[in-house]
């Protein structure tokens, strides 16, 4: 899945709410920045970075700054399975 969104779309809060998958998800950030919550940790990710969320780990992200966030989200499954937590 390729994601492209602007931080200004929702006051810098664009991104999915807290959720988890029974498989690993990898984020390859092409441009822009986002603040990720992965389990109990919070970190920022930007262009050129790769973040990996282990299977079963609650996670979410929010675009930060006015730049467009563009990334490839790799779901290691042949279909989406998402449990929404908030």
């Amino acid at each position: 899945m390729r994601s492209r969104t602007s931080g200004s779309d929702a006051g810098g809060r664009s991104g999915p709410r807290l959720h988890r998958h029974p498989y690993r998800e990898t984020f390859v950030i092409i441009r822009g920045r986002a603040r990720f919550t992965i389990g109990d940790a919070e970190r920022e990710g930007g262009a050129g970075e790769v973040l990996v969320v282990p299977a079963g780990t609650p996670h979410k992200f929010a675009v930060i700054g006015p730049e467009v966030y563009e990334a490839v989200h790799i779901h290691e499954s042949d279909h989406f399975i998402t449990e929404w937590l908030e």
Side-chain angles (χ1 to χ4, degrees):
M1 174 175 92
R2 190 173 186 120
S3 172
R4 181 180 167 142
T5 188
S6 167
S8 61
D9 289 346
R13 301 256 182 234
S14 296
R17 63 191 192 277
L18 193 67
H19 64 285
R20 64 181 165 199
H21 312 285
Y23 48 80
R24 189 165 66 169
E25 182 175 7
T26 302
F27 297 85
V28 181
I29 304 170
I30 298 166
R31 66 179 171 153
R33 298 193 63 72
R35 180 171 295 109
F36 289 81
T37 300
I38 301 172
D40 293 330
E42 203 171 282
R43 68 160 294 186
E44 289 186 15
E49 293 187 78
V50 175
L51 287 79
V52 178
V53 178
T57 303
H59 60 285
K60 65 182 178 178
F61 72 88
V63 175
I64 53 177
E67 301 88 11
V68 169
Y69 166 85
E70 185 174 1
V72 175
H73 301 182
I74 302 166
H75 289 250
E76 294 187 18
S77 176
D78 60 353
H79 60 282
F80 286 114
I81 304 168
T82 302
E83 178 184 0
W84 295 102
L85 303 172
E86 60 177 31

